[in-house]
Amino acid sequence: MTVSTRGPRTTAWAIPAFRYLLGSEAASLSGSAVSTIALPALAVLELHASTGEVAVLAFLGQLPSTLALWAGALSDRHAKRPQLIVSDLAAAAALATVPATALAGVLTIGQLYVVTLVLGAAKVQHDATAISLLPGIVEPHQLQGANSRLGAASSVADSVGSNAGAVLVGAVGPARSVLADVVSFLVSAVLAWRIRTPEPLAHSSAEHRSLGRDIAEGVRYVIGQPTIRTVIAALSTLSFGLAIMNTYWAYYLLTRLGASPTAFGVIMGVGGAGSLAGALLAGRISARIGVGPTIIAGFAVSPVAQVPLLLAGPGRGWQIALATTLAVQLFWATASGVSQRSLRQILCDPRFQGRMQAASTTVTAGSRPLAATTAGALALLLDVRAVLAVGALLQVVPVVLLLASPVRALRDMPSPAVPPAREGAS
């Protein structure tokens, strides 16, 4: 039995709780994009941080992703709305100390380290909670449309926030520009507070169990679900291949292909437009060609889209070609992402939503530092173009995994299993 993606249905937009969640996500993402620019600028321009200190700041920003499994377990154990509010307020409080101490003349790089860690931990908890709350807000047939709207809002918020961050840093300085992110987190917390929806009860004995046991139970659950397991494995493999390429992607364009910083920015902007279009059209695409083909197409386009990069040379013609292929790649990647995320949410037992999402985050984000190290080692032996080729070839692996899985035959979204934990049974 399946959840048809065809025919008129009530959309997620008709649900007030979803609108508040969407607004909360857009507010926090746009503000975070400002801080992504403001905090490093503050370290370099006002604290005169060394290259080593800047590297530590970047490392600490990524470090909290290792807490994803714990965040997922907490998300499944407790009510989700309070977790959203607390994580937003914690981020706002941490950020508020930056302009305050900067005004007093006592801001240090050590404080930025602490603020970055708190921000990262709050984001990990917020993301794990928000994405696992969504299936409790909307009906299964509304999930794809809801994820599509969230993806589009995320794309716009990130772009607007990044541009606003650059303008604010130049206009009022990096320390004062952080106030915009403080306000964004407070707005996000207020909107999260407005969410009113019943939540499934967590484990009745949760307070008597260790988080480690909950995490292990969640990992076992994910491993035991054939479709969810395969999609997450495909995501982690694709992430690894892309991370190898991303290690030298900007370097390759700016040095070997002679792209100017302006041309580089234009290429990225065109790619972002493709991502936004993919989020908006994901539902129509899956209704037209099927859920499974949409997911697989997103993975399959990625290695093909790397071919122009490997063949490219200097010149505006090649830059136009690279911008076009990046837009196509991100269009299909986002459409695929909306469909595969909705599929995993529908198939997952509500008791494991947070831990399932956290498992996906852990293996995909966790592969990136290893991929960067692998790329560095390969660069000692191979030309940069050859390293990029290795990353492109690795992106074929997830396509093979998905073609050999039940995903290939999916035309419509499956119905939530009853009980959900029996997804693999037939």
CSV table of all heavy atoms in Angstrom, one decimal, residues 29-38 156-174 176-178 180-181:
chain,number,residue,atom,x,y,z
A,29,LEU,N,18.2,29.9,10.4
A,29,LEU,CA,19.2,29.7,9.3
A,29,LEU,C,19.7,31.0,8.8
A,29,LEU,O,20.9,31.1,8.5
A,29,LEU,CB,18.5,28.9,8.2
A,29,LEU,CG,18.4,27.4,8.5
A,29,LEU,CD1,17.5,26.7,7.4
A,29,LEU,CD2,19.7,26.7,8.5
A,30,SER,N,18.8,32.0,8.6
A,30,SER,CA,19.3,33.3,8.0
A,30,SER,C,20.2,34.0,9.0
A,30,SER,O,21.3,34.5,8.6
A,30,SER,CB,18.1,34.2,7.7
A,30,SER,OG,17.3,34.4,8.9
A,31,GLY,N,19.9,33.9,10.3
A,31,GLY,CA,20.8,34.5,11.3
A,31,GLY,C,22.2,33.8,11.4
A,31,GLY,O,23.2,34.4,11.5
A,32,SER,N,22.1,32.4,11.3
A,32,SER,CA,23.3,31.6,11.4
A,32,SER,C,24.3,32.0,10.2
A,32,SER,O,25.5,31.9,10.4
A,32,SER,CB,23.0,30.1,11.4
A,32,SER,OG,22.3,29.8,12.6
A,33,ALA,N,23.7,32.2,9.1
A,33,ALA,CA,24.5,32.6,7.9
A,33,ALA,C,25.2,33.9,8.1
A,33,ALA,O,26.4,34.1,7.7
A,33,ALA,CB,23.6,32.7,6.7
A,34,VAL,N,24.6,34.8,8.9
A,34,VAL,CA,25.3,36.1,9.2
A,34,VAL,C,26.5,35.8,10.1
A,34,VAL,O,27.6,36.3,9.9
A,34,VAL,CB,24.3,37.0,10.0
A,34,VAL,CG1,25.1,38.2,10.5
A,34,VAL,CG2,23.2,37.4,9.0
A,35,SER,N,26.3,34.9,11.2
A,35,SER,CA,27.4,34.6,12.1
A,35,SER,C,28.5,33.8,11.4
A,35,SER,O,29.7,34.0,11.8
A,35,SER,CB,26.9,33.8,13.3
A,35,SER,OG,26.1,34.6,14.1
A,36,THR,N,28.2,33.0,10.4
A,36,THR,CA,29.2,32.3,9.7
A,36,THR,C,30.2,33.2,9.1
A,36,THR,O,31.4,32.9,8.9
A,36,THR,CB,28.5,31.4,8.6
A,36,THR,OG1,27.7,30.5,9.2
A,36,THR,CG2,29.6,30.7,7.8
A,37,ILE,N,29.8,34.4,8.7
A,37,ILE,CA,30.7,35.4,8.1
A,37,ILE,C,31.2,36.3,9.2
A,37,ILE,O,32.4,36.6,9.2
A,37,ILE,CB,29.9,36.3,7.1
A,37,ILE,CG1,29.5,35.4,5.9
A,37,ILE,CG2,30.8,37.5,6.6
A,37,ILE,CD1,28.7,36.1,4.9
A,38,ALA,N,30.4,36.7,10.2
A,38,ALA,CA,30.8,37.7,11.2
A,38,ALA,C,31.9,37.1,12.2
A,38,ALA,O,32.8,37.9,12.5
A,38,ALA,CB,29.6,38.2,12.0
A,156,VAL,N,16.8,29.9,0.5
A,156,VAL,CA,16.6,31.4,0.5
A,156,VAL,C,17.2,32.0,1.7
A,156,VAL,O,17.9,33.0,1.6
A,156,VAL,CB,15.1,31.8,0.3
A,156,VAL,CG1,14.9,33.3,0.5
A,156,VAL,CG2,14.6,31.3,-1.0
A,157,ALA,N,17.0,31.4,2.9
A,157,ALA,CA,17.5,32.0,4.1
A,157,ALA,C,19.0,32.0,4.2
A,157,ALA,O,19.6,33.0,4.6
A,157,ALA,CB,16.9,31.2,5.3
A,158,ASP,N,19.6,30.9,3.7
A,158,ASP,CA,21.0,30.9,3.7
A,158,ASP,C,21.6,31.9,2.8
A,158,ASP,O,22.6,32.6,3.1
A,158,ASP,CB,21.5,29.5,3.3
A,158,ASP,CG,23.0,29.3,3.4
A,158,ASP,OD1,23.5,29.4,4.5
A,158,ASP,OD2,23.7,29.1,2.4
A,159,SER,N,21.0,32.1,1.6
A,159,SER,CA,21.5,33.1,0.6
A,159,SER,C,21.4,34.5,1.2
A,159,SER,O,22.3,35.3,1.1
A,159,SER,CB,20.8,32.9,-0.7
A,159,SER,OG,21.2,33.9,-1.6
A,160,VAL,N,20.1,34.8,1.7
A,160,VAL,CA,19.9,36.1,2.2
A,160,VAL,C,20.8,36.4,3.4
A,160,VAL,O,21.3,37.5,3.5
A,160,VAL,CB,18.4,36.2,2.6
A,160,VAL,CG1,18.1,37.5,3.3
A,160,VAL,CG2,17.5,36.2,1.3
A,161,GLY,N,20.9,35.4,4.3
A,161,GLY,CA,21.7,35.6,5.5
A,161,GLY,C,23.2,35.9,5.1
A,161,GLY,O,23.8,36.7,5.7
A,162,SER,N,23.7,35.1,4.1
A,162,SER,CA,25.1,35.3,3.8
A,162,SER,C,25.3,36.7,3.2
A,162,SER,O,26.3,37.4,3.5
A,162,SER,CB,25.5,34.3,2.7
A,162,SER,OG,25.4,33.0,3.3
A,163,ASN,N,24.4,37.1,2.3
A,163,ASN,CA,24.5,38.5,1.7
A,163,ASN,C,24.4,39.6,2.8
A,163,ASN,O,25.1,40.6,2.8
A,163,ASN,CB,23.5,38.7,0.6
A,163,ASN,CG,23.8,37.8,-0.6
A,163,ASN,OD1,24.9,37.5,-0.9
A,163,ASN,ND2,22.8,37.4,-1.3
A,164,ALA,N,23.4,39.4,3.7
A,164,ALA,CA,23.2,40.3,4.7
A,164,ALA,C,24.4,40.4,5.7
A,164,ALA,O,24.8,41.5,6.1
A,164,ALA,CB,21.9,40.0,5.5
A,165,GLY,N,25.0,39.2,5.9
A,165,GLY,CA,26.2,39.2,6.8
A,165,GLY,C,27.3,40.0,6.2
A,165,GLY,O,28.0,40.8,6.9
A,166,ALA,N,27.5,39.9,4.9
A,166,ALA,CA,28.6,40.6,4.3
A,166,ALA,C,28.3,42.1,4.3
A,166,ALA,O,29.3,42.9,4.6
A,166,ALA,CB,28.8,40.2,2.8
A,167,VAL,N,27.1,42.5,4.1
A,167,VAL,CA,26.7,43.9,4.2
A,167,VAL,C,26.9,44.5,5.6
A,167,VAL,O,27.4,45.6,5.8
A,167,VAL,CB,25.3,44.1,3.7
A,167,VAL,CG1,24.8,45.6,3.9
A,167,VAL,CG2,25.2,43.8,2.2
A,168,LEU,N,26.4,43.7,6.6
A,168,LEU,CA,26.4,44.2,8.0
A,168,LEU,C,27.9,44.3,8.5
A,168,LEU,O,28.2,45.3,9.2
A,168,LEU,CB,25.6,43.2,8.9
A,168,LEU,CG,24.1,43.3,8.8
A,168,LEU,CD1,23.4,42.2,9.5
A,168,LEU,CD2,23.6,44.7,9.3
A,169,VAL,N,28.7,43.3,8.1
A,169,VAL,CA,30.1,43.4,8.6
A,169,VAL,C,30.8,44.6,8.1
A,169,VAL,O,31.5,45.3,8.8
A,169,VAL,CB,30.9,42.1,8.2
A,169,VAL,CG1,32.4,42.3,8.3
A,169,VAL,CG2,30.4,40.9,9.0
A,170,GLY,N,30.5,45.0,6.8
A,170,GLY,CA,31.0,46.2,6.2
A,170,GLY,C,30.4,47.4,6.8
A,170,GLY,O,31.1,48.5,6.9
A,171,ALA,N,29.2,47.4,7.1
A,171,ALA,CA,28.5,48.6,7.6
A,171,ALA,C,28.6,48.9,9.1
A,171,ALA,O,28.9,50.1,9.4
A,171,ALA,CB,27.0,48.5,7.2
A,172,VAL,N,28.5,47.9,9.9
A,172,VAL,CA,28.5,48.2,11.4
A,172,VAL,C,29.6,47.5,12.1
A,172,VAL,O,29.8,47.6,13.3
A,172,VAL,CB,27.2,47.9,12.0
A,172,VAL,CG1,26.0,48.7,11.4
A,172,VAL,CG2,26.9,46.4,11.9
A,173,GLY,N,30.4,46.6,11.4
A,173,GLY,CA,31.5,45.9,12.0
A,173,GLY,C,31.0,44.5,12.4
A,173,GLY,O,29.8,44.3,12.6
A,174,PRO,N,32.0,43.5,12.5
A,174,PRO,CA,31.6,42.2,12.7
A,174,PRO,C,30.9,41.9,14.1
A,174,PRO,O,30.0,41.1,14.2
A,174,PRO,CB,32.9,41.4,12.6
A,174,PRO,CG,34.0,42.4,12.8
A,174,PRO,CD,33.4,43.7,12.2
A,176,ARG,N,29.0,44.0,16.0
A,176,ARG,CA,27.6,44.5,16.1
A,176,ARG,C,26.7,43.6,15.1
A,176,ARG,O,25.5,43.5,15.4
A,176,ARG,CB,27.5,45.9,15.7
A,176,ARG,CG,28.1,46.9,16.7
A,176,ARG,CD,27.8,48.3,16.4
A,176,ARG,NE,28.3,49.3,17.4
A,176,ARG,CZ,29.6,49.8,17.4
A,176,ARG,NH1,30.4,49.4,16.4
A,176,ARG,NH2,30.0,50.6,18.3
A,177,SER,N,27.3,43.2,14.0
A,177,SER,CA,26.5,42.4,13.1
A,177,SER,C,26.0,41.1,13.7
A,177,SER,O,25.0,40.5,13.3
A,177,SER,CB,27.3,42.1,11.8
A,177,SER,OG,28.4,41.2,12.1
A,178,VAL,N,26.7,40.6,14.8
A,178,VAL,CA,26.3,39.4,15.5
A,178,VAL,C,24.9,39.6,16.1
A,178,VAL,O,24.2,38.6,16.3
A,178,VAL,CB,27.3,39.0,16.5
A,178,VAL,CG1,26.8,37.8,17.4
A,178,VAL,CG2,28.6,38.5,15.8
A,180,ALA,N,22.3,40.6,14.8
A,180,ALA,CA,21.3,40.2,13.9
A,180,ALA,C,21.0,38.7,14.1
A,180,ALA,O,19.8,38.2,14.1
A,180,ALA,CB,21.7,40.4,12.5
A,181,ASP,N,22.0,37.9,14.4
A,181,ASP,CA,21.8,36.5,14.7
A,181,ASP,C,21.2,36.3,16.1
A,181,ASP,O,20.4,35.4,16.2
A,181,ASP,CB,23.2,35.7,14.6
A,181,ASP,CG,23.0,34.2,14.4
A,181,ASP,OD1,21.8,33.8,14.2
A,181,ASP,OD2,24.0,33.5,14.4
